[in-house]
Amino acid sequence: MNSEPIGVFDSGVGGLTVLSALRTTLPHENFLYLGDTARVPYGNKSASTIQRYALEATHYLLKQDIKLLVIGCNTVTAEALATLQAEFPDLPIIGVIEPGALRALQASKTQQIGVLATRATLQSGAYDRTIKQHANDAQVFTYSAPLLVPLAEEGWLSGEVATQTVQKYLQQVLKHSIDCLLLGCTHYPLFVPLIQSLLPEHITLVDSATTTAQATLLQLQKMGLENKQDHHGSMQFYVTDDPLEFSNIGRLFLGQEIFPQTVHLTGLKPF
Amino acid sequence: MNSEPIGVFDSGVGGLTVLSALRTTLPHENFLYLGDTARVPYGNKSASTIQRYALEATHYLLKQDIKLLVIGCNTVTAEALATLQAEFPDLPIIGVIEPGALRALQASKTQQIGVLATRATLQSGAYDRTIKQHANDAQVFTYSAPLLVPLAEEGWLSGEVATQTVQKYLQQVLKHSIDCLLLGCTHYPLFVPLIQSLLPEHITLVDSATTTAQATLLQLQKMGLENKQDHHGSMQFYVTDDPLEFSNIGRLFLGQEIFPQTVHLTGLKPF
């Protein structure tokens, strides 16, 4: 059981930053990553569509005997975590929203927290709701930064365009007196060095990739599910459409070559 | 028959620049625009998937009695125009690639032509192939500019980030001695003023939206299908997922309020 893999599900490549953090925190675990690239992006789809896709993906990963599921995607976490938990009560499932929200509350002294995310994630209200569930007097300020996703996928993580784009988004952020900025999109951890260099020192930066990896470690320890092997764990990649672009961007996101395999989810038939 | 609408099909919002050009060129025509927003973007999907989606969309529009179909999307034109023409031999179908390619060949004295497009469109080889079909000694240089799509959808059509992004892409373009630059993505016409201001004078800029509208006018005249009514034609919008974001971006692209209606294409069932 303990050597069984951890499933990581995302609509596309963004979850690879979560996988990267998981590999650092849990080097002995085996991972199966599923990117639903035939249907990416999920951000502009309705909640019921996202729930259906997430159920299909989880069924697929369960057939590969995963011991735990990490949802490496803010949109799926916001729209489908509760649905998945109800449908699969025996599978531990970790989303990317609560770990980041809890870490932000720990890091903030003033309880005035900024959240930088995509429009879809902010519209779901999930960060605001989750933060206030744990601290109902917290103030949450949200900012959308949609261009950071394509900038990351273009590989423009520094340089003039990236710097000016981040500066333009941070101008909005700095209008409020926050002392913690939470990155609520799985693409954004790639910009941590740039954002850190442009953010005033009194604002703590929290990203959901490393916090989700930490939450996964705690969950495995709690359930006694850690893999005790002493060699490095493996990674396998499944995508639902042409693997070429995923490989190209994946190399950039993970810093190594990856060789994804195309699979068909139930009811999907992309080819 | 002549008052029947012209169908315009795109995977999302990009085709609205084509619709905008069509409205200017053909103010008396009625238009039905279908944006397959539940499955956008098509660029990362396989040819057979795109062909299947395009067939579904055309069947849908034919049920609304369109007299002519404009494919307002480079990816669909590249991957599915021939399939659609074979499947619907009685329907005049106009893609966005050939009109732009022909206009570029007319505009260029040196027959050295640059094409700025998305990675998917360039990978299809459709512009290179089409230009060389008409002038086999033409030289075609291609450049991908993927960030212009999200910049357009963010509404950043001028200002520092847009200017520097365009400049960065034009640096690649100016390495070759072209005398004509063809914009091979339906989002790019929104950047015509900016690109024009940064492009050396001896390079003619050609966009596929206005050239496609011109080709549509000629086709209607040739077939005697023009609408002779003397009042302005109507526009109706169908989308396959939540209409809200489409309305927001559509306002930006068309310069007026639009009220799309959500429809289900055969076999799609997005909800």
Side-chain angles (χ1 to χ4, degrees):
Chain A
M1 176 74 184
N2 289 25
S3 65
E4 283 169 355
I6 292 172
V8 182
F9 167 54
D10 179 32
S11 56
V13 294
L16 292 173
T17 64
V18 181
L19 177 61
S20 179
L22 284 164
R23 289 273 289 176
T24 305
T25 307
L26 300 162
H28 304 303
E29 298 294 334
N30 301 307
F31 293 98
L32 292 186
Y33 185 97
L34 172 60
D36 190 6
T37 52
R39 304 190 288 200
V40 73
Y42 281 11
N44 54 1
K45 294 181 172 64
S46 60
S48 64
T49 298
I50 294 164
Q51 286 156 12
R52 184 159 58 82
Y53 292 176
L55 287 168
E56 288 174 5
T58 308
H59 274 296
Y60 184 86
L61 288 167
L62 271 174
K63 277 191 207 147
Q64 326 288 317
D65 294 324
I66 56 167
K67 63 181 175 184
L68 181 147
L69 175 67
V70 176
I71 305 175
C73 174
N74 281 277
T75 301
V76 177
T77 303
E79 303 295 355
L81 175 59
T83 305
L84 294 180
Q85 284 172 333
E87 184 77 14
F88 307 102
D90 298 330
L91 178 69
I93 305 177
I94 292 176
V96 279
I97 292 176
E98 191 156 47
L102 289 174
R103 177 79 192 91
L105 281 168
Q106 283 168 358
S108 170
K109 285 178 190 141
T110 61
Q111 304 290 280
Q112 296 198 304
I113 294 168
V115 180
L116 199 69
T118 63
R119 213 162 273 142
T121 297
L122 296 181
Q123 269 165 6
S124 77
Y127 275 99
D128 192 76
R129 203 164 47 240
T130 306
I131 291 171
K132 287 181 178 161
Q133 264 167 15
H134 293 281
N136 63 17
D137 56 345
Q139 267 192 293
V140 181
F141 302 94
T142 61
Y143 320 93
S144 71
L147 276 170
L148 297 188
V149 169
L151 271 173
E153 297 191 0
E154 182 76 330
W156 294 9
L157 305 178
S158 57
E160 274 185 290
V161 172
T163 304
Q164 292 206 355
T165 303
V166 168
Q167 261 170 343
K168 199 160 167 176
Y169 287 134
L170 288 184
Q171 275 169 16
Q172 301 304 311
V173 172
L174 298 176
K175 285 184 182 160
H176 302 110
S177 61
I178 59 164
D179 72 345
C180 177
L181 180 63
L182 174 54
L183 302 184
C185 168
T186 55
H187 280 68
Y188 298 178
L190 294 165
F191 293 100
V192 162
L194 179 59
I195 296 174
Q196 198 81 68
S197 75
L198 297 169
L199 205 62
E201 267 185 27
H202 71 278
I203 301 180
T204 305
L205 194 60
V206 173
D207 81 77
S208 46
T210 50
T211 51
T212 298
Q214 203 60 34
T216 306
L217 167 65
L218 292 176
Q219 182 72 31
L220 289 177
Q221 287 174 337
K222 199 171 108 185
M223 302 183 78
L225 284 178
E226 297 159 277
N227 194 4
K228 303 291 188 186
Q229 70 185 6
D230 59 2
H231 54 273
H232 264 64
S234 64
M235 290 194 287
Q236 265 187 283
F237 298 89
Y238 301 123
V239 294
T240 54
D241 207 325
D242 187 345
L244 183 68
E245 181 145 341
F246 186 88
S247 305
N248 290 337
I249 300 179
R251 192 186 304 120
L252 179 77
F253 276 46
L254 273 183
Q256 66 179 81
E257 291 295 328
I258 59 178
F259 303 96
Q261 184 187 335
T262 302
V263 298
H264 293 194
L265 303 184
T266 319
L268 172 58
K269 302 186 194 69
F271 291 109
Chain B
M1 175 76 184
N2 290 25
S3 65
E4 282 168 358
I6 293 173
V8 181
F9 167 53
D10 179 33
S11 57
V13 294
L16 292 174
T17 64
V18 181
L19 177 61
S20 178
L22 284 164
R23 289 271 290 177
T24 305
T25 307
L26 300 161
H28 303 302
E29 298 294 332
N30 301 308
F31 293 98
L32 291 188
Y33 184 97
L34 172 59
D36 189 6
T37 52
R39 305 190 288 199
V40 73
Y42 281 9
N44 54 1
K45 295 183 172 63
S46 60
S48 63
T49 299
I50 294 164
Q51 286 156 13
R52 186 159 55 81
Y53 293 175
L55 287 168
E56 288 174 5
T58 308
H59 275 296
Y60 185 86
L61 287 168
L62 271 175
K63 277 191 209 147
Q64 325 290 316
D65 294 323
I66 56 167
K67 63 181 176 184
L68 181 146
L69 175 67
V70 176
I71 305 175
C73 174
N74 281 276
T75 301
V76 176
T77 303
E79 304 295 355
L81 175 58
T83 305
L84 293 180
Q85 285 171 333
E87 183 77 16
F88 307 101
D90 298 330
L91 178 69
I93 305 178
I94 293 176
V96 278
I97 292 177
E98 192 155 49
L102 289 173
R103 177 79 193 90
L105 281 168
Q106 285 169 357
S108 170
K109 286 177 190 141
T110 62
Q111 305 289 280
Q112 297 199 302
I113 294 167
V115 179
L116 199 70
T118 64
R119 213 163 272 142
T121 296
L122 297 181
Q123 269 164 8
S124 77
Y127 275 100
D128 192 76
R129 205 164 45 241
T130 306
I131 291 172
K132 287 179 178 161
Q133 265 167 14
H134 294 282
N136 63 16
D137 56 343
Q139 267 192 292
V140 181
F141 302 94
T142 61
Y143 319 93
S144 71
L147 276 171
L148 297 188
V149 169
L151 271 174
E153 297 191 0
E154 182 77 329
W156 293 9
L157 305 178
S158 57
E160 274 185 289
V161 172
T163 304
Q164 291 206 356
T165 302
V166 169
Q167 261 170 344
K168 200 161 167 175
Y169 288 133
L170 288 184
Q171 275 169 17
Q172 301 304 312
V173 173
L174 297 177
K175 285 183 182 160
H176 302 110
S177 61
I178 59 165
D179 72 344
C180 177
L181 180 63
L182 174 54
L183 302 184
C185 168
T186 54
H187 281 69
Y188 296 179
L190 294 164
F191 294 100
V192 163
L194 179 59
I195 296 174
Q196 198 81 67
S197 75
L198 297 169
L199 205 62
E201 267 186 26
H202 71 279
I203 301 180
T204 306
L205 193 60
V206 172
D207 80 77
S208 47
T210 51
T211 51
T212 298
Q214 202 60 35
T216 306
L217 168 64
L218 292 177
Q219 182 72 30
L220 288 178
Q221 287 174 338
K222 198 172 107 185
M223 303 182 78
L225 285 177
E226 297 160 276
N227 195 3
K228 305 290 190 189
Q229 71 185 6
D230 59 1
H231 54 274
H232 263 64
S234 64
M235 289 192 287
Q236 264 186 284
F237 298 91
Y238 301 123
V239 293
T240 54
D241 207 326
D242 187 344
L244 183 67
E245 182 144 340
F246 186 89
S247 306
N248 290 337
I249 300 179
R251 192 186 305 121
L252 180 75
F253 276 48
L254 274 184
Q256 65 179 82
E257 291 294 328
I258 58 180
F259 303 96
Q261 182 186 338
T262 302
V263 297
H264 293 196
L265 303 184
T266 319
L268 173 61
K269 303 185 193 71
F271 292 108

